[in-house]
């Protein structure tokens, strides 16, 4: 195994990480915004999955990456596949944690509301996540991770920044967890088109093997 880092917009990502088992970096990209023709990059993203995920995506075998990137059913199947998932998000442009929290909150809330799943329990669970980020400051190179175990509808979110101990929060509301996954992995509605395209291309190649 080579341990050479994968560079995502000058941010190094390990090609493999081990949680309860080894997960491979199968997709990466950035979140950015264009203002007056100027591209502002916010975060670099790495998506780590169990290589076995391809076993759950066999019906898309032979489809090219650009087709998969447009296929939300494919990403739905990816999200629902009973494999471990791990997202590593590295800050490029420093912002307040509260700003990130608000983005997450509105993305998750809108998705829940659209599916008629935004009840009191979801509101409370989401509020806790927002509060978790509220007190943080996202310096450049800070790391946010999302760990989604294979067979449980929970998520563990961790935040690490220079000079501070890692902070963690567990999300146990399955609807909120599902929409956090969809925020990052939700196909054409995902927050990072580059990440979705990268995942689609990698998985397309893996499915052809």
């Amino acid at each position: 195994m080579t341990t050479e880092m994968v560079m995502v917009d000058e941010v190094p990502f390990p090609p493999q990480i081990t949680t309860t088992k080894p997960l491979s970096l199968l997709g990466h990209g950035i979140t950015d915004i264009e203002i007056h023709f100027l591209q502002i990059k916010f975060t670099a993203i790495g998506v780590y999955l169990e290589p076995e995920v391809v076993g759950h995506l066999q019906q898309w075998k032979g489809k090219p990456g650009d087709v998969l990137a447009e296929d939300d059913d494919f990403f739905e199947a990816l999200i629902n596949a009973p494999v471990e998932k791990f997202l590593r998000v590295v800050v490029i442009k420093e912002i307040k944690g509260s700003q990130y929290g608000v983005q997450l909150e509105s993305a998750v809330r809108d998705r829940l509301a659209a599916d008629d799943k935004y009840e009191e329990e979801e509101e409370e669970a989401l509020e806790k996540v927002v509060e978790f980020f509220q007190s943080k400051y996202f310096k450049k190179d800070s790391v946010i991770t999302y760990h989604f175990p294979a067979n449980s509808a929970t998520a563990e979110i961790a935040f690490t920044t220079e000079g501070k101990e890692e902070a963690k929060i567990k999300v146990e509301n399955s609807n909120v967890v599902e929409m956090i996954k969809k925020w990052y992995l939700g196909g054409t509605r995902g927050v990072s088109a580059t990440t979705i395209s990268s995942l689609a291309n990698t998985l397309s190649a893996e499915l052809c093997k």
Side-chain angles (χ1 to χ4, degrees), residues 148-155 171-178 181:
F148 305 102
N151 290 314
S152 103
T154 60
V171 188
E172 291 180 327
N173 180 298
S174 59
N175 289 331
V176 170
V177 170
E178 181 195 358
K181 286 182 194 169

Side-chain angles (χ1 to χ4, degrees), residues 127-181:
E127 215 148 83
K128 281 188 188 141
V129 177
V130 175
E131 272 168 24
F132 172 76
F133 286 120
Q134 200 79 44
S135 57
K136 313 282 181 282
Y137 189 72
F138 285 22
K139 284 197 284 201
K140 187 172 161 38
D141 297 328
S142 304
V143 179
I144 307 121
T145 59
Y146 293 87
H147 179 213
F148 305 102
N151 290 314
S152 103
T154 60
E156 188 173 77
I157 305 174
F159 175 75
T160 334
T161 190
E162 194 190 353
K164 293 211 169 138
E165 273 188 27
E166 182 179 59
K168 283 185 172 180
I169 182 175
K170 195 166 187 184
V171 188
E172 291 180 327
N173 180 298
S174 59
N175 289 331
V176 170
V177 170
E178 181 195 358
M179 298 312 171
I180 292 174
K181 286 182 194 169

